[in-house]
Amino acid sequence: MAAGERWGPGGGRVFVFDRRLEQCDSAERALEVAGGSGYRDFRAAVCQAFGIASDGTFVITTTSRTVVSDLNFHQIVQDGVTLYLLQSVNQTLSLATRERIDFLPHYDTLVKSGMYEYYASEGQNPLPFALAELIDNSLSATAKNTEIRNIQIRLIFDESQGKPAVVVLDNGSGMTSKQLNNWAVYRLSKFTSRGTFDSDHAGYVRPAPVVRSLNSDISYFGVGGKQAVFFVGQSVRMISKPADSQDVHELLLSKEDFEKKEKNKESIYSGFIRNREPADSAHVTSDEEKFLHNLIFEEKHKKSFTAVVITGVEQAHVQYLKNYFTHWTRQLAHIYHYYIHGPKGNEHKTVKKEEGPPNNIDIEITMYEKGKVPRIVNLREMQDDMQTLYIRTAADSFEFKALVDGDGVVEGIIRYHPFLYYTETYPEDPCFPSKQKDDDDEDDDCYIVEKEARGKRPIFECFWNGRLIPYTSVNDFEWCAPPKKRALGPIECYNRISGALFTNDKFQVSTNKLTFMDLEMKLKDKDTLYTRIVNGQEQRVKIERDFALWLKQCHESFDKQIRFVGFKGIITRTDL
Amino acid sequence: MAAGERWGPGGGRVFVFDRRLEQCDSAERALEVAGGSGYRDFRAAVCQAFGIASDGTFVITTTSRTVVSDLNFHQIVQDGVTLYLLQSVNQTLSLATRERIDFLPHYDTLVKSGMYEYYASEGQNPLPFALAELIDNSLSATAKNTEIRNIQIRLIFDESQGKPAVVVLDNGSGMTSKQLNNWAVYRLSKFTSRGTFDSDHAGYVRPAPVVRSLNSDISYFGVGGKQAVFFVGQSVRMISKPADSQDVHELLLSKEDFEKKEKNKESIYSGFIRNREPADSAHVTSDEEKFLHNLIFEEKHKKSFTAVVITGVEQAHVQYLKNYFTHWTRQLAHIYHYYIHGPKGNEHKTVKKEEGPPNNIDIEITMYEKGKVPRIVNLREMQDDMQTLYIRTAADSFEFKALVDGDGVVEGIIRYHPFLYYTETYPEDPCFPSKQKDDDDEDDDCYIVEKEARGKRPIFECFWNGRLIPYTSVNDFEWCAPPKKRALGPIECYNRISGALFTNDKFQVSTNKLTFMDLEMKLKDKDTLYTRIVNGQEQRVKIERDFALWLKQCHESFDKQIRFVGFKGIITRTDL
Ligand SMILES: Nc1ncnc2c1ncn2[C@@H]1O[C@H](COP(=O)(O)OP(=O)(O)OP(=O)(O)O)[C@@H](O)[C@H]1O
Ligand SMILES: Nc1ncnc2c1ncn2[C@@H]1O[C@H](COP(=O)(O)OP(=O)(O)OP(=O)(O)O)[C@@H](O)[C@H]1O
Ligand SMILES: [Mg+2]
Ligand SMILES: [Mg+2]
């Protein structure tokens, strides 16, 4: 039993070092203390154990040299504690002692894990990124689905159904009770999981390379789900059923429960999984979770599923989710663009009803409010996420590959957004208008024409295992930046390009999946090798020149009106 | 005992739910399994417990419905496991079951906590920031010192003394064994610590406000020390003695040890503190830690101290610490500038030997290499950290206060770096030359004169409880940004100012103390109130106008030559 933990009224075991004399026994003795005994009994027991006359001069102290007495006995002499038997309280330790300690992580490890990570979010609300962690998990879980991969976020903001709740539901592999147990283990990842007798967690096998790394293998650190749920709310109910199981497994973790366990000195990281028949909601009795009955009733016809039910949702989150619905759903559509639309992204489809394997991921968001028609959005239907805008306005694209550090491969694409009939087609970010005039510009009598289209935005968005890492972007590479000397075409063409980079997990990201660690550094290493890709084939060409040629061609073929840049004549400034 | 943990050869306890019939007992029964027993014995015990004839038809399964048999018995039937008694393996559960689980955080919680946090470091080596966490702790620990506060970083890179080690040593309060125990508890912070019988951790009392928030109260999350040591190395030995103690307390944590405990299914978060006489190094036997004998011998005459001894230091870190010694020590001098030099910073002292209370913090760094004279630096002696450069080149300063959100107070200072005899005095950052010409600039026929002095750098560096938060900076405020209309003086004066902001922990920072959460957002809130401070007194003036006047005065009094900005005439551009 752990020190200080689970100390019941039934007594416990303490460890006593006899350090009265120089030549004393080096090891401690374990003494059993009967429940309900007091200082007198304990002192007598010590005397007996060490063969001391009961009127001998000695003190019993803590390792911090607090003398044990009638007054503090019950506070001090708890299960697992280490004590000294000394001649006097201040004598030195002739021989070292070994004091047993426990240092279980505080439950804030789980409950606060997301707080000061997600928040470090550059002024944006990080809530969409917390939801993304749960979508990541659902993508991983549905990777092997043969039927459509269905991921639903349900926002239950209908008071008649209970308190506000955020539910993430998928028809993926589900979890056995052992896997559900492992879910709750902070920092247990697919790399550290040991095989168990049910071989729930066999050794991890890296997925084979696929185009744009859309491998659905987005789990990495063993923290995402926990960080996310406790960022969103105070309590989570994980409900899951694997395909070949009769039983549904359910685990409830809550801040309140952790607090209670700490107060009662119970084991912090122990709990119960409820195993039950599908559709059995007998255990749900509180009106605050009324909606659970329906959710659980749906289990009836499901082969396998996982539902993450978050309650205790902060009011500010509820407000944000309601008021910025379009904004954050667009952000999610952006993050998962290539999962939703396939490796080519959201191209204009000529045949609209084209069916087929690439589009088998449905990510659906539904918001329920009392007295209102539920608001539903399927991320695939969103047509104004940034990647869609980039793809739709592109006239041509330039694909390439970067070979980094021996075995890291980055796929890349650059798109050309032509100038058409008086205006640039480079899409504006609807949320962060970056072309917005600088305050300076008004008075500025020098107007930097060539910066106009892209503005100050970096060229590349970066995707890791197919999903966007939102806070990392790459400005440019040497070969696609405006050349220092003379360009083949007009310089402003360099500001009509957008791009995307695709890596697998050979490149590392931070635990909150908001930033890459060193993607840019590695890409800009002088040994990094860039190759152009045409129709899937590597070209043996000089990328810098080939890119310049491509850009010139784009300009000549697609720019529909050439703008006069405004040659102002040469101004000779006299030295100051 | 926890499930699966500490399973010895001595047997254990398993929980069996009888779910053969609809109307069965809802509760599980606990069965003691004797050590060394096999499947036969166990089956018999189950039959007896539930009153089943030994030839009855039933199966015993796991909660994942794996049938227990001769073959898998020892793998499955471990201490704490929950089992079912069923009629057939696939029957449904008429009644739910409760399965006991444990979900102790994986030890990577400690060992990898810093890895993907510090790394998210924008291309800089994060090692100095890891060392800063340890200096933070030493600053907190020495806050109440009456004698000089001595903090030493010793880099022991001398093979004759053992393997590479990083030692951080202070003469602060030290830790009792209970406090040392608490040190190891991840996420246990001064806010969550409970009082103990030794009242080592009484309720936290926020320090009284002091100028520039130099309150030495830099502990916050209960993670910094652990993140830092395991970022630097693989093993840490915490050695500490509080002032009123005879004993030194010592705790060793190492990755290797965690791995061993996991392998042996021992309690992961249990260990031993060694309590011993000062200067007793009998327990150090390995040559790899030879240097410890000297370090421990020094304990002899110390009232109180804490030593953090990190070994298993990654070779790349050793190289960096050696090769970039000047660079990272300068960074530390920058981070702790106001602790080292006092609230006014590193001003030119006319009386050099001026003694007094403000400069009572010694942060000393020593690097030992074999056959070389040790390299020693006292951070106070560094004269080229950025804050020193700002202070030394400033001709005048403008102080202000921001009142945020009711009770948050931010102190601020703006310094003027005049133009003197043909050159700007605005200091260049020796590490990150940001005035470096943009690639564009070369060809650019419009030269933005007024950006010259500060370049693109933001105005304000930001300090939290007196120490720099290195990745957060604030560009400007409306009232100190170049005005959109006409300025009182030349516009380039707005680029001759640098500044610093000082907050206390009313403003939150991320767990790695690299960024503020929302400082800028709060400061730019329309309700934030700015007041000018003159000689410590708040002025009832309009800050925008007062600042403009101050700037104009600076220009007139300190700029030693006025530059011709180059009026080019009005160019009328015809519409395209
Ligand atoms: N929706 C789900 N369906 C099935 N299994 C899941 C689901 N969500 C989580 N899991 C399981 O729980 C584990 C822990 O999830 P969590 O998100 O906390 O960490 P992770 O995904 O392993 O790593 P990361 O920190 O990168 O997210 C997953 O590895 C997976 O095995
Ligand atoms: N040098 C030291 N001297 C005395 N006590 C220390 C020292 N270093 C750490 N401690 C104790 O150990 C605790 C844990 O330190 P740690 O740095 O891990 O977390 P913290 O300082 O509490 O919070 P933060 O995450 O903000 O650093 C401290 O709160 C302090 O009580
Ligand atoms: Mg995850
Ligand atoms: Mg700390």
Side-chain angles (χ1 to χ4, degrees), chain B residues 1 7-14 31-35 77-80:
Chain B
M1 215 184 280
W7 166 257
R13 198 147 62 129
V14 304
L31 297 187
E32 301 293 333
V33 184
V77 182
Q78 303 203 355
D79 187 46

Side-chain angles (χ1 to χ4, degrees), chain A residues 467-483:
Chain A
R467 75 94 119 179
L468 182 75
I469 299 300
Y471 289 169
T472 290
S473 52
V474 171
N475 264 312
D476 55 25
F477 302 119
E478 242 173 51
W479 53 265
C480 63

Side-chain angles (χ1 to χ4, degrees), chain A residues 102 247 270 443 446 484, chain B residues 65 102 247 270 443 446 484:
Chain A
D102 285 283
D247 312 325
S270 295
D443 285 323
C446 88
K484 284 170 201 159
Chain B
R65 306 292 183 108
D102 284 283
D247 312 325
S270 294
D443 287 323
C446 88
K484 284 168 203 162

Side-chain angles (χ1 to χ4, degrees), chain A residues 133 136-137 218-220 224-225 513:
Chain A
E133 287 282 359
D136 284 351
N137 286 347
I218 324 184
S219 288
Y220 206 84
K513 301 200 179 98

Side-chain angles (χ1 to χ4, degrees), chain B residues 140-160:
Chain B
S140 299
T142 56
K144 298 208 176 103
N145 276 26
T146 45
E147 70 282 22
I148 201 135
R149 298 162 67 177
N150 189 267
I151 301 172
Q152 295 181 26
I153 300 186
R154 300 187 191 172
L155 309 173
I156 303 169
F157 298 156
D158 174 348
E159 307 87 76
S160 68

Side-chain angles (χ1 to χ4, degrees), chain B residues 19-63:
Chain B
R19 284 292 180 275
R20 288 169 302 162
L21 302 169
E22 288 262 341
Q23 299 86 343
C24 48
D25 200 359
S26 76
E28 75 271 37
R29 295 212 199 148
L31 297 187
E32 301 293 333
V33 184
S37 58
Y39 174 61
R40 295 285 125 197
D41 314 316
F42 179 65
R43 190 176 183 281
V46 169
C47 286
Q48 203 195 352
F50 291 91
I52 313 174
S54 67
D55 57 354
T57 45
F58 67 89
V59 288
I60 304 171
T61 76
T62 68
T63 55

Side-chain angles (χ1 to χ4, degrees), chain A residues 63 65-66 97 99 101-103 106 117 177 181 186 198 247 262 269-271 273 275 443 446 484 511, chain B residues 63 65-66 97 99 101-103 106 117 177 181 186 194 198 247 269-271 273 275 443 446 484 511:
Chain A
T63 55
R65 308 290 183 107
T66 301
T97 64
E99 176 178 3
I101 59 156
D102 285 283
F103 49 96
H106 189 272
E117 313 295 339
S177 72
N181 184 164
Y186 195 74
D198 285 328
D247 312 325
E262 165 162 86
Y269 297 102
S270 295
I273 287 178
N275 302 304
D443 285 323
C446 88
K484 284 170 201 159
T511 39
Chain B
T63 55
R65 306 292 183 108
T66 301
T97 64
E99 176 179 1
I101 59 157
D102 284 283
F103 49 95
H106 189 272
E117 313 295 337
S177 72
N181 184 166
Y186 195 74
R194 302 131 280 197
D198 284 328
D247 312 325
Y269 297 102
S270 294
I273 287 178
N275 302 303
D443 287 323
C446 88
K484 284 168 203 162
T511 40

